[in-house]
Amino acid sequence: MKAILTTVGEDQVGIIAGVSQYLAENKVNILDLSQTIMDGYFTMMMMVDVPENEKEFGVLAQELSDLGQKLGVEIRIRNEEIYRAMHHL
């Protein structure tokens, strides 16, 4: 299943490494990536492919949120279909 992962917070060393490592450990493939730093704030958006037979999506979302707290950023993941529906209203 494709999903959109967003990461936002104050720029610091290790954000991309931390997120990428978690995704690799959970067999989540990064399909596309955009990241920038705006006035000291790090923003990253990823299109990822989440294996459906691995970890439950809600568990993945909670673990990413917890990782974000450890890294000092906000990490959210949304199913691509839900993301598209939200933006077509």
Side-chain angles (χ1 to χ4, degrees), residues 63-75:
E63 289 179 356
L64 282 163
S65 178
D66 293 346
L67 174 63
Q69 288 182 355
K70 289 179 189 173
L71 295 174
V73 295
E74 180 182 300
I75 303 174

Side-chain angles (χ1 to χ4, degrees), residues 1 22 26 50-63 77:
M1 142 187 30
Y22 175 85
N26 287 278
V50 179
E52 294 185 37
N53 60 347
E54 292 292 322
K55 194 173 279 189
E56 184 180 314
F57 193 79
V59 172
L60 191 76
Q62 184 58 56
E63 289 179 356
I77 189 167

